[in-house]
C-alpha cells in the first residue's frame, strides 16, 4: 500500500515495451531502432548555465522512448500520450513550420542539418514516463531520444557530446525556448550512480559518485510550467542586462563588484545577478561538501539555493516553497530544493536510504496540510545518458 502510493506517478507509466509494441501495431513490423533518453534532476546550480556557470545535474531513471524506422516519404511521428503529430520532411523543415510537441522532433532534424549532416525521414512512436512540464527536462529527453534514433538510422556519426548542442539548438531556435545547455548535457551524457558537476563555460564534466546510502526523490507539486513562455525568457533577459552593464559574464563577477556597479542596474537585474553569483559559489561549495561527505553542509547549501531562487530570482511558487519547507522539517532529509527552471514543477530531495518511504509519506502529508494540494513523490536513481537499446 505504502509503496503503491510512493511510486504513483503523475503521467501514465510508460515502458519501452509499450512503445515498441505500438510501433509494431501501427506499422506491421518491428522498429529498426529503439532508443531511450533520460530526464534529469539538478542538485544545485540553477539558472547559471546561460552565463557559463556551474550546474550539478543527475540523469534519472525516468525516460523518453522512441521506436523508429526509415521511410522515403515524409516523417510521421505518433505519441502515445498526445496522438499523431503533423508530418514533415526532414530535409526541408524550417523553424516556424511545426506546431506543439512535433517541434521537438522536427527541430532535431533541422539542427542536425545546421550541424552539417542531413538525416532522412523516419516513422516513429514516442512515449515517456517523465512528467511533462515538471522541471525534469522532458524536452531534452525527447530531443536526445530522437537524435539517437536519427543518428543510428542514417549512420550520421554524431557522438553523444555532439548531440547535446544539437538538442539545445532545436530548443533555442526551433522550439523558441532560450534555455542553456544543462538539460541536454545531462540527458546525453549521464552516468549510472553518478551526479555530473558541469562547468558550462567549456562543457567539462566531473562525474561524482552518489553514496549508496543516499536516496534521491522527486517531490512534484503538480504545478506545471513552460519555458517557451515569458518568465524564463524575462529572467534570462535580466541576467544578460546585468552582464552588459557589468561588462563581464556573471561567471566571472563577484558580489563586491556587483555592489560597486549597482547603480545602472535595475532592481531586477541586481537581484537576478545576485542569485547567479551566489549560486555559483554555492555549487562549488556543494561539490566539495559531497566529496567530503559533509551532509549538514549539503543540506544547508540546498536550502540557501532554494531561498535564493525564491527571493532573488523569483522563480519559485508557493507550492514549491511549501514542498521544500515540508522536506526541511522532516527528519532523515539531507537536503531539498526546487529543481530545474522553476515557476512550478518539482523539488529534488536527498534522503537517508533506510527510511526513504516513511520520510516521503511524511513530506507529502505536510505538503497537503500546508498547501491544500496533493503532491506526488518518486524515488529515482542516477542513470546512463541517451542510448540505442536495440
Ligand atoms: C531549464 C533550462 C536549463 C537551465 C534550467 C535552470 O531547465 O533548460 O538550461 O537554465 O532551466 O537552471
Amino acid at each position: 500500500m505504502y509503496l503503491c502510493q510512493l511510486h504513483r506517478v503523475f503521467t501514465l507509466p510508460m515502458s519501452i515495451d509499450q512503445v515498441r509494441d505500438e510501433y509494431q501495431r501501427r506499422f506491421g513490423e518491428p522498429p529498426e531502432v529503439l532508443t531511450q533518453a533520460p530526464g534529469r534532476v539538478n542538485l544545485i546550480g540553477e539558472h547559471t548555465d546561460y552565463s557559463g556557470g556551474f550546474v550539478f545535474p543527475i540523469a534519472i531513471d525516468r525516460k523518453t522512448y522512441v521506436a523508429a524506422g526509415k521511410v522515403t516519404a515524409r516523417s510521421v511521428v505518433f505519441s502515445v500520450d498526445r496522438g499523431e503529430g503533423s508530418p514533415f520532411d526532414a530535409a526541408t523543415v524550417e523553424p516556424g513550420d511545426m506546431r506543439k510537441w512535433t517541434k521537438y522532433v522536427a527541430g532535431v532534424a533541422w539542427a542536425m542539418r545546421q550541424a552539417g549532416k542531413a538525416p532522412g525521414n523516419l516513422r516513429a512512436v514516442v512515449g515517456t514516463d517523465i512528467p511533462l512540464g515538471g522541471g525534469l527536462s522532458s524536452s531534452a529527453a525527447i530531443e536526445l531520444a530522437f537524435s539517437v534514433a536519427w543518428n543510428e538510422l542514417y549512420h550520421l556519426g554524431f557522438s553523444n557530446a555532439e548531440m547535446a548542442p544539437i538538442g539545445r539548438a532545436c530548443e533555442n531556435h526551433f522550439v523558441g525556448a532560450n534555455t542553456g545547455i544543462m538539460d541536454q548535457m545531462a540527458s546525453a551524457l549521464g552516468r549510472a550512480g553518478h551526479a555530473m558537476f558541469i562547468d558550462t563555460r567549456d562543457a567539462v564534466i566531473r562525474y561524482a559518485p552518489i553514496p549508496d546510502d543516499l536516496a534521491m526523490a522527486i517531490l512534484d507539486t503538480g504545478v506545471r510550467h513552460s519555458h517557451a513562455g515569458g518568465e524564463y525568457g524575462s529572467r534570462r533577459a535580466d541576467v544578460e542586462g546585468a552582464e552588459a552593464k557589468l561588462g563581464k559574464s556573471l561567471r566571472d563577477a563577484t558580489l563586491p563588484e556587483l555592489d560597486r556597479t549597482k547603480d545602472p542596474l535595475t532592481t531586477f537585474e541586481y537581484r537576478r545577478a545576485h542569485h547567479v553569483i551566489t549560486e555559483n559559489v554555492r555549487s562549488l561549495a556543494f561539490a566539495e561538501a559531497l566529496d567530503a561527505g559533509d551532509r549538514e553542509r549539503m543540506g544547508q547549501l540546498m536550502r540557501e539555493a532554494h531561498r535564493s531562487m525564491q527571493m532573488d530570482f523569483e522563480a519559485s511558487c508557493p507550492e514549491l516553497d511549501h514542498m521544500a519547507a515540508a522536506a526541511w522539517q522532516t527528519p532523515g532529509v539531507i537536503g531539498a530544493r526546487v529543481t530545474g527552471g522553476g515557476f512550478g514543477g518539482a523539488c529534488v530531495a536527498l534522503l537517508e536510504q533506510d527510511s526513504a518511504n516513511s520520510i516521503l509519506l511524511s513530506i507529502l502529508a505536510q505538503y497537503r496540510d500546508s498547501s491544500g494540494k496533493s503532491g506526488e513523490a518518486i524515488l529515482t536513481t542516477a542513470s546512463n545518458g541517451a542510448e540505442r537499446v536495440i
Side-chain angles (χ1 to χ4, degrees), residues 43-44 54-56 195-198 206-209 211 279-299 301:
L43 292 178
I44 200 161
F54 303 107
V55 294
F56 212 163
M196 312 161 71
F197 188 75
I198 308 176
R206 182 173 72 82
Y207 289 96
E279 186 77 349
N280 278 327
V281 174
R282 279 188 293 271
S283 302
L284 286 164
F286 185 91
E288 275 174 25
L290 179 65
D291 287 345
D294 186 345
R295 297 192 174 174
E296 201 178 319
R297 180 91 178 116
M298 286 162 64
L301 289 162

Side-chain angles (χ1 to χ4, degrees), residues 210-217 295 332 334-335 348-357 359-360 379-381:
I210 303 170
D212 287 345
D213 61 337
L214 269 194
M216 182 166 62
R295 297 192 174 174
I334 285 123
V348 58
L350 296 174
L351 340 156
E352 284 164 13
Q353 182 78 263
D354 285 353
S355 40
N357 287 354
I359 294 171
L360 293 182
L379 283 168
T380 188
T381 54

Side-chain angles (χ1 to χ4, degrees), residues 40 42 45-50 55 137 171 179-184 227 232 340-342:
R40 61 105 192 86
N42 186 24
E46 222 63 87
H47 287 278
T48 53
D49 65 343
Y50 42 87
V55 294
S137 242
E171 183 113 11
T179 54
I181 191 66
M182 168 171 70
D183 301 353
Q184 288 80 11
H227 291 326
Y232 188 98

Side-chain angles (χ1 to χ4, degrees), residues 12-23:
L12 200 63
M14 170 66 47
S15 79
I16 196 161
D17 297 338
Q18 278 174 277
V19 171
R20 186 185 46 206
D21 294 350
E22 182 60 27
Y23 184 99

